[in-house]
Structure formats: C-alpha cells, structure tokens
Amino acid sequence: MKVLQFPIARITIGFILGILAAFYLKPDPTFMFGLLLISLLLLGIIYLDHKNKSGNTIYFNIATYIASLLIGATTQIVHTDYYQKSNYIHENSFFEKPQLISVVIREKLKSTNLNDRYIALTNKIGSKKCTGRILLNVHRDSLNQTFETGVSLRMKGMAFKNKLPNNPDQFDYGAYLEKKQIYAQIYSDKESIGVGSKYKKDIWYYSSKIRTSIIHNLQKSNFNKTELNVAIALIMGQKQDISPEIIQDYQYAGAIHILSVSGLHIGFILLFITFLLKPIPNNRRGSIMKLIIILGSLSSFAVIAGLAPSVIRSVTMFSFVAIGYHLRRSVNIYHTILVSVFLILLFQPSFLFDVGFQLSYMALFFIIWFQPLLASLWSPKTKAFSYIWGILTVSFAAQIGTLPLSIYYFHQFPGLFFITNLAVIPILSFVMILGVLVMVLAAFNFVPLFLSKPLEWGIYLLNKIINSIASFEEFIIRDIPFNIYLMVSSYLVIVASIIWFKKPSYGNLLIVLISFLTIQISYMKTQWDIKNQREWVVFNLKKNTMVTARDGENVILYTHDNTLKEVKSNGVLNSYLVANFSTLKSEEKLKNIAYFNGNKILILDSLGHYPKDLRPDIILITQSPKINMERMLRILKPRMVVADASNYKTLQKYWKASCEKQKIPFHAVAEKGFFKLN
C-alpha cells in the first residue's frame, strides 16, 4: 500500500498508538514528559548528524516514530481531565456526602423516561474550585422545562462514580462516559436547583442559541414534528428528539449513518456553496474570496451542528480539499485524510474512541481506495446506469470497509443496504440542499412556505422509504458473534484481497492465503477459549431472578416458573449468548440446591426453607425470604452469601450487616452488579 509509504502516514499511526497506550496503560505523566523530552533531543541530534552526513536514514526514521508515539501519549495525558489536580474526581468528600455544587450546562443529551440529561461543567464543590465534566440527571416534571446551554446552576447533591456494567457482556456505559471525560453523575430535581442570572457565553452557548432559534422558527411555520426532528438530525446532527422507532428503521435499513452529519452531508453543502459562488470570477482575488466564504461557511455549519466528532472530521477534511483546489495545487486525498486525522486528534484525542469517528474514516478510506477498482469492473453505456453503478460501487466500498467494525460493535448486518443507498441518496441530496437553505433562512426568522413544505414532504418520503426497506426483517442478520481478534483478522483478509485484486502477483496471493489462515486461527482460538470456559452467573435483573450455567458454548438457564417468560424476553441473556459464542441448551426451574465446579450452592426462595445439615459453600438469596440471617449463618457456616436484585433493599442492608458481623463476604447484586463463579 503506497499510502503507508507517506511519512505523515507512519507519523499518524505512531501518534494514534501513543494515544491508545496512554489511555489503556495510564502511565505517570512526569515520566512520559521526560521520555518525550529525551526523544526530541535524540531526534534533533540524529537529524543534525544525518544532515551533515548523507547516509542511512533508518535511525532517523526510528527516532521519528518513537517521538510521534510519545507525542501521542503526552497529548492524551494533557487532554485527560483525570490527571488535573483540580478535577472533582480527586475530591473524595464529593462521593461520600451531599455537597453544594455549582455547574454550567454545556450540552443537553437525549432524555430518558424519568430524567432530563445534561453534560455540565463543574465550577465549585462547596467553597473549593473544581473542574471537570459531569453528567447531570434532573427528574422530569409535568412542565417539562429544560435548562439552556450556558446557564449556571447551584444545587446540593452527591456524585456517583461511573458503575461497571450490571450484567456480563453488557454495553459498558461507564467506560463510554470515561472516554468523554465524564467520571461521575449527579441526580437532582428542578425544585432543588437554583438557576443563576449569568450565562457562560462561549462558542457552545451561541451554537445552542442559533439551533434553538432555528427550531423555534420552524415550529412556528407548522413544520410537522416527526419530520422536523429528522431534519434537525440530518442537517444539524442533533438526534435527541427522534423517536426510537425511526432510529430502529434507519438501523435496520442500513442508513443510520444518514442521521449523523458526515462527509456525505458536508460534500452536499460544499457543492451547494460552490454552485452559489459561481458568479465570482476565478482570478486570484476571486479565488481567495471564494475560499474565505467556503471555509467560513463550513466552520459556521460545524458550530451550528454542535462540533460533533463526525462534523469536525468532515469539515476539516473538506477544508483542506478546498484550500488545495483554490490554491491551484493538486491535492493528494490520502494526505488530506491523514492530516485531518492528525490535527483533529492533536486537539481532541478522545475522538479516537468515538464509534462514529472510526466508522466515518474507515468508510472514507475504502471509498477512495477500493471504489475505483469496483467502478472499473463495468463501464455503463447510459448516464442512468452510470449513476446507479456509481452509487452501488460507493455503497459496497463503504460497507466492506466498515463491515468488521460494524459487526464488532453492533453484532448485526443490514442485507438491503445497497437498495437503501440507491433509493435514499437522490432524495437525500435534495433534502440536504433545500434543508441548509431553509435552516439559514430560519436563523433570520424567515421560513417561506414554498421551501419548508417541499422539505417536509421530502423527509416524509425519505422516512417512508426507510420504513418500507426496514420492514423486510428477514434480510437483517442479527446476533453475529464477533470479537476483536476476528475483527482484526477480517481487516487483514479484506486489505490483502484488495491489494491482490489491484496488483495480482504470487507474493500478494501468498499474503491473501496467510490472511485467511489468520482468520481461521483467530476463530479456532476463540472456539478453544470458549470450550475451556465454565461459569455460573447470577444476573442483575430488577425484581427477577436469572441464573445461567455455561459449559463451553452450551448455556442452561435457571429461573423461577413465574418469571421465565419475562427473563427470556430481556436482551441481557441474548447479549451474553452472543458475546460468548454460545447457545441456550435448555431452560430449567431454579431448584434449592445447585452444584458447580466443586461448590455446593443453597438457593433460598420466598419461603426461606433450608436444611440444617447442608453446609453450603455459597448461599444465594432470592425473592425476599423472611429469615433470621444471623441464626442461619451460625448453623450453615457458608463461605459467601449472594443476594440477587429480586430482594428488598431494606432486607439486604440487614443481611449485609449480619454477614459483616460474622466476617462472611456478602455480594449484593443490585449494588455491585452480577456475580460470577468460575
């Protein structure tokens, strides 16, 4: 691959590896900055030596890669709030008792049934100045009023650190928040919150103000609410108010990327702006004027869209393309992509962990690299077929490039993605161009009916087409078991195969065969690991009891008779099966005694009966039985007590105190998460 021969490519790869190393290893900052200083001095010495003596560049290359890796690591450290001494995570009292907290609203998130959710910036905890992002949950009331971006709030509350997943192989929301520099949450209600009179008027404040004004003016023009929410997502990247049903339709149709502003959207906007600027002459002064207007328009759009990772990536990349074009210089698109990646991560390394960011760049790279090869397979004679073929090749290139990542994150594949793109892209181009025009006019409180109505009808048609395609659920492949080893080896197969198709040779064919061997080894290793695993798991399900015993790929589900149907419909079990490449072998009623891996387990139900001479290793308590805990512990002498989430919290407190008194470990599933025995 010629792209890897570019110095910027190798520097960017080293930079990314440095970010990953700092994120997962969490090295000492002083040590890393010391290493960086040494590496830069070494690089300077080697450079001067290489400049004076023309010789082998290998030492200079190695020193450059080491320096780029350390720059990536230190960049991640500098942008990680955890390392700042003023961050609230180091204020232990904040997590032990209620404190008076002062925050500023930064961003409104999608609400839940119970709470409005915000990302807030902490200012003070008590009388001490503190910094850091925190997730604020405000209990919803009948008035349904929300707080504006930039508003200052004061409240009394206690923070809760991000929890581990409640159940095995569940989405780790705590880790997701940590990647966004959010380490804790606060819960409050509107009556307990004091609203300040001053606003923090930064770029986020003005961005929110413009969006709010646009949405308000569109609502006044009687824009249908469903279509309006989709329009706001398509053009401004704000998906908070879209219904779950519509999001599911877009997922099943393979068009969820449309609801996140990306390169496709920015490309339409750039074409539209370029078309509007055609009357300006192409002389030196006119070219500079066009470039300034284009860069200003794209930057303004990024601000209005809330500076989301996908928006920043697309705007940065197309800005470089525009600069190269208007300076009359040929632009190497690979250089453009790499420079945009490097600059974005230099200022915001946390974007690297954003799934949308990863998918966008992967799709973009494969469209540029692989699509021309697909397009060369057939040369249509008519414009109509040429247009259709172009959409199909772009869709296939993007889908192949993102396939391993998509399956790894979402464990499903939309089989009709090519039909979706054929049907949607023509309508989407119309909706995007008209939508940008309507949004700009709405910002100035002018929404002409002859423009807003066609936009509303276009989005209605778009939703209908997506809904029709999504209704063919038999074409959606769900619950695909996939891990990181299979993902990496799949990319090796895809890349090696494309290289061979581009330049057939025995050497490249050998690489393809080796890559196929790699994916087979990855699969066999996964199967070997699974077959040698045995575990007994108590799940964290509110008011329900669910226990599984897994022997390799076979899982037995144990529940009470009255909860079996409810437990099976829960997605928790399905996630566990998919993640462990397993199948549900049987469903059995939960008995009072179980044996696993040499452990004798007593299971108490609501009756609370137990044999006095059992001597169990573990006691599992379910359904809030009325028992004398201290007496039972003295008689049975267990090594450990587990209480699942079907028990009352008041009883669990009493049981916990009794266990602590007799120095027996107590695991409350509702508090600590699932219990695993292996």
Side-chain angles (χ1 to χ4, degrees), residues 236-247:
M236 294 193 292
Q238 305 297 309
K239 297 186 290 186
Q240 293 93 328
D241 297 320
I242 299 183
S243 69
E245 293 76 21
I246 289 179
I247 288 179

Side-chain angles (χ1 to χ4, degrees), residues 138-162:
V138 182
H139 188 72
R140 304 184 77 179
D141 57 19
S142 56
L143 297 176
N144 203 23
Q145 293 177 333
T146 57
F147 297 118
E148 295 181 76
T149 299
V151 67
S152 298
L153 304 177
R154 287 177 66 84
M155 69 198 80
K156 194 164 186 179
M158 186 171 70
F160 298 89
K161 290 182 181 179
N162 297 333

Side-chain angles (χ1 to χ4, degrees), residues 648-660 666 668 671:
Y648 296 128
K649 288 184 179 180
T650 50
L651 287 176
Q652 291 187 57
K653 288 180 181 178
Y654 160 67
W655 297 336
K656 183 179 181 180
S658 299
C659 287
E660 287 177 349
F666 179 79
E671 178 187 346

